[in-house]
Amino acid sequence: MRFRAKIVDFGCLNNFTRIVNTISKLTKSCTLQLTVDNLYFMLSDKVASGGVSMWCELSQGSFFDEFQLEGMAPNANEIYLELIPENLLRALKTTQNAKSLKIKLTKKHCPCLTVAADLPSLSSNSRVVTHDIPVGVIPRKLWQDFKEPSVPDFDVSIYLPPLKTMKNVIDRMKNLSNFLVLEANKNGEMNLRIETELVSVSTHFKDLGNPPWVSTDGDGSKEGSQERTKMAQVHVDIKKLQQFLASQQVNPSKAICSIASDRTVHFILLHEDVSLQYFIPAVG
Amino acid sequence: MDCVVTGSNVKVLAKAVHSLSRLGDELYLEPQENGLALRTVNSSRSAYACFLFSPLFFQKYCFPQNSVLRCKIVAKSVQAVFKSLSSLEKTVEKCRIELNSEKSRLTFTLHCKHGLLKTHNLSFQDSESLQAVFDKDSCTNVLTAQPKLLVDTVLHFPPSLEEVTMSVNNERVLFRNHVEEDTELSKAMMTELCLSAVEFDQFTVDTQTEITFCLKELRGLLVFAESSSLPVSVYFDEPGRPVVFSLTDSVLEVNFVLATLSEEFHPHNCSNSNTNRLPAPPAPDDFMNDDMDSYIIAMETSEVAGDSSCPLPPQDPLIPQQSKSNEEQHKFRVESESEDEDEQQEEEQETVEENGRPPNKKFRSLFFGSVLPSSSQMSNKTVRSQKILASDSEDETALDSP
């Protein structure tokens, strides 16, 4: 089992750092899956325990100049690691000006993801910093726990307004309530609403647009106007939603929110080379 | 005492005060013939700092010729005088420091723009002279670097990190984080930074060695060094002997003396990298070297899959016990001269008290040079219960010393 990757391009390093930053804001600990083509950061708290799930997919080719992987076995050319993204972030943050950066799996005092950066120095010799980030190697029998989360049948899918706008609204609402009602319909309308004994606050978004796939499932084309304006709603923990919005470093090219009424809300953010899915379970 | 600081020197003085207050709670101020000394020592007495401003630093410098004046002030109150560095730079034209022993008042007067006067009257205590005894000229190893180099170096270590280990040989300096023996290694992120000798202005290494010292105190010095852009010189010897970080200018001399961990407390992971460790030759292609399979084998065969992936830190079977001879080596002590007997007694009492409690970090105390081994060091096949005993006693001291 071996892994080694190298970044030389400043922009790639910067982008990769941003993604790791996002991940580290979403979770303290996550699983990193390495395959020949992709990297996946994932988090699967059991939904039953009120947790959220995350699935972030990166195509290695758009970040790494070298990417060598020799998986657990020839017929399972993959590696699964338990990682504290904060550690990786710290290693990347202090090496932003590196001439080149290597990430490799090493055997030190424990299995480590070693980040070795070649920093600019005052002399012709290079200045090398290495960070050994302890990781847990996940044995093969547990791999089945880390499948891409299945997307439940959604009632409504809708494009999100600029995440920053949403964040600003929710940051205010958070001061008033712990829970938020997120509702949307197939007519491009979305509401963020809080209701307490003292106050009801609601923010309305319109003309957001619905992704085309919605109408293809089932009776889509024949939907009447009543059906189109029917709101699907979900109650969520406002802190979890806030955390998700606060973690975003860049505005994605596409951001879609899908609601399964009273069950779960699913966000998918699409960037050029990265996709991030995030599931927040409904609260009772 | 009466002295006046003008212009940009006010900011230098302010930065010095800030730098000192990061380290100790009390500031010792002593006007001497060769200048005004500002000193402090940290609460565990493992770090000492001294700024000596020569008479030329001041526009006016008068010190009492016949009487000896020494005073101890709460660092925070002096810091408050120089609270905002940015506004200080813009508004303060002159700062006057007067020490009136009859009224027991230390007065800072800030002459600001538009004729504004800010006067701070601080009370102080008479005190013994705080003077660490160290001899940096006898140190066999001297490194001098631009502050930027050291600032960039410490940047790689997390702010929460307490101590850093510096190991040197003829070609390079290696910094890495020091890990307490009781930390779980599978949780600790290890960072290593290698600086080649040519990056230093001066690089004199007679003895290859490895020392561990507090990072926080060094950061305090670097803040000052960076603002003054004065090169930093590092004087050190073997582990257990203090390391001195020093800045010199025509009107200023700064010394930070930090205790280093003595050798027996270096954790096992240093033993292989001790004095003769050469820089690991970077293999042309180390992809093949980093084979993880043995871990997997261990994991697959083991019943407790979770545990085997994080092996316990290996116990060094030969941790030498505390030897008496250590006490003879202490070259580093703080002389305290007291003028009256009562104070001396008080001081002695304090001594006993200080001595009675183990220093926080097993550092050789600067004052007393004692190293108190915790019980976990005494027995090597320590079972967890014994470690708990040790940590309990440490907890008590933690309560004692805020």
Side-chain angles (χ1 to χ4, degrees):
Chain A
M1 188 171 60
R2 299 180 175 92
F3 167 67
R4 190 171 81 162
K6 190 174 175 185
I7 302 181
V8 288
D9 181 73
F10 173 79
C12 290
L13 178 54
N14 190 261
N15 281 344
F16 186 63
T17 308
R18 265 188 232 201
I19 292 158
V20 176
N21 196 356
T22 299
I23 305 295
S24 74
K25 284 187 172 158
L26 286 175
T27 174
K28 271 213 170 74
S29 158
C30 72
T31 303
L32 171 62
Q33 182 194 356
L34 304 164
T35 69
V36 176
D37 297 316
N38 293 319
L39 289 88
Y40 303 89
F41 290 97
M42 47 204 167
L43 167 74
S44 56
D45 274 6
K46 292 282 168 284
V47 176
S49 63
V52 296
S53 309
M54 174 194 78
W55 181 267
C56 179
E57 183 174 333
L58 288 72
S59 104
Q60 59 91 354
S62 29
F63 295 92
F64 297 95
D65 296 272
E66 271 174 44
F67 198 87
Q68 289 169 275
L69 179 92
E70 200 175 280
M72 208 80 121
N75 59 342
N77 202 10
E78 295 174 336
I79 298 174
Y80 284 74
L81 303 171
E82 192 69 39
L83 169 80
I84 295 171
E86 172 80 44
N87 283 343
L88 181 57
L89 176 66
R90 218 188 72 218
L92 293 172
K93 262 190 175 166
T94 59
T95 50
Q96 280 300 290
N97 58 350
K99 289 185 276 185
S100 74
L101 183 113
K102 279 185 208 153
I103 302 178
K104 53 190 179 180
L105 195 59
T106 55
K107 194 165 75 179
K108 301 269 167 109
H109 48 279
C110 63
C112 283
L113 206 54
T114 296
V115 176
D118 189 351
L119 301 170
S121 74
L122 301 169
S123 68
S124 54
N125 296 30
S126 57
R127 191 190 291 177
V128 178
V129 64
T130 57
H131 298 278
D132 293 327
I133 303 161
V135 290
V137 178
I138 297 170
R140 230 175 123 179
K141 58 185 173 207
L142 299 177
W143 285 9
Q144 63 208 24
D145 296 352
F146 303 101
K147 289 275 172 287
E148 181 169 358
S150 58
V151 177
D153 293 335
F154 291 112
D155 301 306
V156 167
S157 259
I158 191 164
Y159 288 116
L160 287 173
L163 297 181
K164 210 161 191 177
T165 313
M166 246 179 108
K167 178 178 178 291
N168 286 340
V169 170
I170 286 167
D171 284 349
R172 302 293 178 284
M173 288 181 165
K174 195 194 133 239
N175 299 330
L176 300 169
S177 171
N178 293 327
F179 301 100
L180 172 129
V181 180
L182 179 68
E183 54 183 15
N185 63 18
K186 292 176 181 171
N187 198 28
E189 292 165 334
M190 184 179 89
N191 302 331
L192 301 173
R193 187 153 53 86
I194 53 164
E195 270 163 21
T196 69
E197 285 176 8
L198 296 169
V199 65
S200 296
V201 182
S202 177
T203 304
H204 306 269
F205 296 91
K206 58 180 185 179
D207 303 329
L208 295 173
N210 300 87
W213 70 65
V214 175
S215 52
T216 57
D217 62 312
D219 50 63
S221 53
K222 300 187 285 283
E223 277 170 357
S225 67
Q226 200 174 2
E227 182 67 22
R228 283 170 59 84
T229 52
K230 190 180 163 206
M231 287 284 180
Q233 68 168 41
V234 66
H235 292 249
V236 292
D237 183 338
I238 202 162
K239 276 202 221 89
K240 295 204 168 100
L241 185 56
Q242 192 199 26
Q243 191 185 26
F244 170 67
L245 293 167
S247 70
Q248 297 311 312
Q249 301 291 303
V250 274
N251 235 359
S253 47
K254 271 202 182 94
I256 299 165
C257 160
S258 305
I259 297 172
S261 293
D262 299 323
R263 275 179 296 155
T264 183
V265 54
H266 169 248
F267 294 94
I268 180 161
L269 308 184
L270 299 169
H271 297 266
E272 214 170 301
D273 323 301
V274 193
S275 71
L276 174 71
Q277 297 183 62
Y278 197 70
F279 294 78
I280 304 177
V283 287
Chain B
M1 182 200 76
D2 182 8
C3 52
V4 176
V5 189
T6 56
S8 59
N9 280 1
V10 178
K11 202 180 169 192
V12 175
L13 179 69
K15 289 240 173 187
V17 168
H18 280 274
S19 190
L20 287 164
S21 343
R22 279 173 82 121
L23 199 146
D25 298 330
E26 277 149 347
L27 227 63
Y28 294 75
L29 184 138
E30 184 179 341
Q32 301 169 169
E33 191 176 354
N34 60 348
L36 179 69
L38 282 174
R39 306 185 175 106
T40 193
V41 65
N42 70 350
S43 59
S44 60
R45 307 213 152 189
S46 61
Y48 159 90
C50 171
F51 284 75
L52 181 66
F53 299 97
S54 85
L56 283 174
F57 177 84
F58 302 92
Q59 191 191 51
K60 172 185 164 196
Y61 182 76
C62 302
F63 81 101
Q65 301 282 345
N66 37 16
S67 70
V68 191
L69 260 179
R70 292 179 188 121
C71 63
K72 183 163 90 173
I73 327 139
V74 179
K76 278 213 177 100
S77 57
V78 190
Q79 202 183 5
V81 176
F82 301 105
K83 206 163 36 186
S84 159
L85 286 172
S86 53
S87 75
L88 204 74
E89 198 173 16
K90 280 182 225 143
T91 58
V92 180
E93 289 163 343
K94 195 161 91 171
C95 168
R96 183 171 184 186
I97 310 167
E98 289 164 285
L99 188 62
N100 186 332
S101 48
E102 280 159 31
K103 288 189 197 155
S104 276
R105 278 282 175 273
L106 178 69
T107 308
F108 286 86
T109 316
L110 300 179
H111 297 253
C112 305
K113 274 185 185 157
H114 315 298
L116 197 69
L117 273 187
K118 289 184 190 168
T119 308
H120 297 259
N121 284 308
L122 310 183
S123 59
F124 64 85
Q125 279 180 289
D126 284 337
S127 80
E128 76 281 11
S129 171
L130 182 78
Q131 179 61 64
V133 178
F134 59 93
D135 182 10
K136 60 186 184 190
D137 297 325
S138 74
C139 287
T140 50
N141 299 329
V142 184
L143 312 177
T144 304
Q146 293 302 313
K148 180 92 169 60
L149 181 67
L150 294 174
V151 169
D152 284 352
T153 300
V154 299
L155 200 72
H156 291 279
F157 296 95
S160 57
L161 182 69
E162 306 245 354
E163 293 119 20
V164 70
T165 299
M166 177 172 94
S167 83
V168 289
N169 68 17
N170 309 327
E171 292 149 21
R172 53 111 192 97
V173 183
L174 191 78
F175 287 89
R176 64 166 187 276
N177 45 346
H178 172 78
V179 191
E180 297 270 308
E181 274 149 283
D182 50 357
T183 33
E184 214 180 309
L185 283 174
S186 60
K187 296 242 172 74
M189 177 165 161
M190 303 290 289
T191 298
E192 230 178 62
L193 179 76
C194 188
L195 299 174
S196 100
V198 281
E199 293 210 56
F200 291 81
D201 299 351
Q202 187 197 348
F203 193 92
T204 315
V205 172
D206 276 2
T207 36
Q208 300 187 353
T209 183
E210 179 170 282
I211 55 170
T212 300
F213 50 86
C214 278
L215 193 54
K216 187 185 145 212
E217 280 77 13
L218 173 61
R219 284 198 165 108
L221 170 82
L222 290 178
V223 170
F224 182 84
E226 201 181 17
S227 72
S228 65
S229 347
L230 290 173
V232 181
S233 296
V234 192
Y235 301 82
F236 58 100
D237 270 317
E238 61 207 39
R241 303 278 293 277
V243 54
V244 185
F245 292 86
S246 149
L247 311 178
T248 19
D249 184 35
S250 51
V251 292
L252 173 71
E253 188 186 338
V254 185
N255 286 305
F256 273 55
V257 185
L258 311 182
T260 64
L261 280 184
S262 49
E263 186 126 70
E264 56 263 49
F265 293 116
H266 270 251
H268 44 81
N269 63 349
C270 297
S271 54
N272 57 355
S273 60
N274 215 343
T275 47
N276 294 325
R277 178 163 156 175
L278 291 167
D285 183 2
D286 44 5
F287 181 59
M288 296 315 280
N289 296 338
D290 300 322
D291 188 358
M292 300 287 297
D293 286 343
S294 52
Y295 275 106
I296 307 313
I297 292 158
M299 230 157 36
E300 304 274 288
T301 52
S302 149
E303 302 238 311
V304 209
D307 266 1
S308 56
S309 66
C310 30
L312 288 169
Q315 296 275 349
D316 189 342
L318 283 173
I319 296 171
Q321 292 198 354
Q322 170 71 13
S323 67
K324 291 260 174 189
S325 65
N326 276 337
E327 280 167 29
E328 288 151 27
Q329 292 177 15
H330 307 137
K331 288 221 164 166
F332 188 43
R333 234 169 247 128
V334 174
E335 281 175 355
S336 48
E337 342 163 342
S338 307
E339 282 125 89
D340 73 29
E341 288 291 312
D342 283 354
E343 224 175 84
Q344 183 141 29
Q345 270 194 342
E346 237 178 70
E347 180 62 23
E348 267 169 24
Q349 273 184 351
E350 210 181 306
T351 304
V352 172
E353 204 188 308
E354 289 280 353
N355 213 359
R357 74 167 85 120
N360 278 352
K361 282 287 166 195
K362 301 163 219 155
F363 274 118
R364 233 169 250 263
S365 158
L366 296 189
F367 277 79
F368 313 106
S370 60
V371 184
L372 290 128
S374 64
S375 57
S376 63
Q377 258 94 41
M378 305 298 278
S379 62
N380 43 52
K381 288 180 183 167
T382 326
V383 261
R384 293 209 162 231
S385 63
Q386 265 184 320
K387 285 207 162 175
I388 290 164
L389 279 179
S391 73
D392 263 358
S393 70
E394 272 169 18
D395 284 349
E396 271 171 37
T397 62
L399 284 176
D400 280 352
S401 51

